[in-house]
Amino acid sequence: DTAVSQTPKYLVTQMGNDKSIKCEQNLGHDTMYWYKQDSKKFLKIMFSYNNKELIINETVPNRFSPKSPDKAHLNLHINSLELGDSAVYFCASSQRSDTGENGYTFGSGTRLTVV
Amino acid sequence: GNSVTQMEGPVTLSEEAFLTINCTYTATGYPSLFWYVQYPGEGLQLLLKATKADDKGSNKGFEATYRKETTSFHLEKGSVQVSDSAVYFCALNGGFKTIFGAGTRLFVKA
């Protein structure tokens, strides 16, 4: 029973293409996140949704667009992919967004390679 | 703004050695503090947490104490194993989002 599942695990695509990454959690959590991990392992938050409402939108190019059809799903669509978008993208979820004291549950990541 | 600084790696130890990975933070208010572990090819897993000053988080032989006076949350383990080889992230949450340190890679040799 995977708690936070992301698909696909690997994604290789050409510059200029549009691609989507899907995320689903079966933990009943209210809040979901997208993080980007670069080649040096540095993690940066991109977006957060609480009960389908966008609550965090960091400085991310508008080529990146999150969508949350319900509180168990958070997808990430990327338009006009660039070489610099190559990274590992992690989805995560948590019980509550305001206190943050419960920690996050992460998916296993999607390794995106733009060629 | 909030930030987390942890010691640079890699840290290389022999099996059964004592481990310390330093972590200090800057935050307004009273954040919750965490250590996460990332094994190769996997996502991050919550290792331990502490939500208020002087709390000690512990799990799988790892410990860390929330020290408000020194703004620190150092990770320790008395005797590491080869299976502990991974990247360790210190993190804080002051509300709404978690900020991660840069990660410290640990290698444990048999």
Side-chain angles (χ1 to χ4, degrees), chain A residues 9 33 35 37 40-41 43 45 55-56 58 90 97-104 106-108, chain B residues 32 34 36 38 41-44 46 49 51 87 89 93 95-102 105:
Chain A
K9 190 168 176 64
Y33 311 83
Y35 277 82
Q37 186 175 48
K40 295 186 177 177
K41 298 293 188 184
L43 276 156
I45 190 166
I55 57 170
I56 294 174
E58 294 288 295
F90 285 102
S97 63
D98 53 352
T99 64
E101 64 182 30
N102 292 311
Y104 294 176
F106 280 83
S108 57
Chain B
S32 296
F34 307 87
Y36 286 81
Q38 185 178 27
E42 297 184 11
L44 281 73
L46 179 62
K49 66 177 183 180
T51 58
V87 181
F89 293 89
N93 188 305
F96 293 107
K97 67 179 178 183
T98 294
I99 295 170
F100 290 85
R105 186 178 294 275

Side-chain angles (χ1 to χ4, degrees), chain A residues 57-77:
Chain A
N57 185 351
E58 294 288 295
T59 308
V60 175
N62 58 15
R63 297 181 295 104
F64 290 78
S65 54
K67 282 191 172 51
S68 182
D70 55 60
K71 76 172 193 177
H73 295 84
L74 179 61
N75 304 323
L76 182 65
H77 188 75

Side-chain angles (χ1 to χ4, degrees), chain A:
Chain A
D1 291 345
T2 305
V4 179
S5 59
Q6 296 179 227
T7 54
K9 190 168 176 64
Y10 300 97
L11 186 52
V12 181
T13 188
Q14 292 188 325
M15 273 175 34
N17 283 351
D18 303 338
K19 290 293 177 186
S20 292
I21 306 171
K22 296 186 175 182
C23 180
E24 175 182 3
Q25 55 97 1
N26 63 5
L27 298 166
H29 287 169
D30 294 324
T31 311
M32 297 183 72
Y33 311 83
W34 279 111
Y35 277 82
K36 179 181 181 180
Q37 186 175 48
D38 64 23
S39 58
K40 295 186 177 177
K41 298 293 188 184
F42 183 72
L43 276 156
K44 184 170 168 43
I45 190 166
M46 302 173 70
F47 302 103
S48 173
Y49 272 75
N50 184 56
N51 257 325
K52 302 192 296 176
E53 180 184 349
L54 181 66
I55 57 170
I56 294 174
N57 185 351
E58 294 288 295
T59 308
V60 175
N62 58 15
R63 297 181 295 104
F64 290 78
S65 54
K67 282 191 172 51
S68 182
D70 55 60
K71 76 172 193 177
H73 295 84
L74 179 61
N75 304 323
L76 182 65
H77 188 75
I78 316 170
N79 288 328
S80 304
L81 278 154
E82 300 177 357
L83 293 177
D85 297 331
S86 296
V88 181
Y89 292 84
F90 285 102
C91 178
S93 70
S94 68
Q95 182 63 33
R96 290 179 62 179
S97 63
D98 53 352
T99 64
E101 64 182 30
N102 292 311
Y104 294 176
T105 302
F106 280 83
S108 57
T110 296
R111 182 176 294 276
L112 172 64
T113 303
V114 182
V115 298

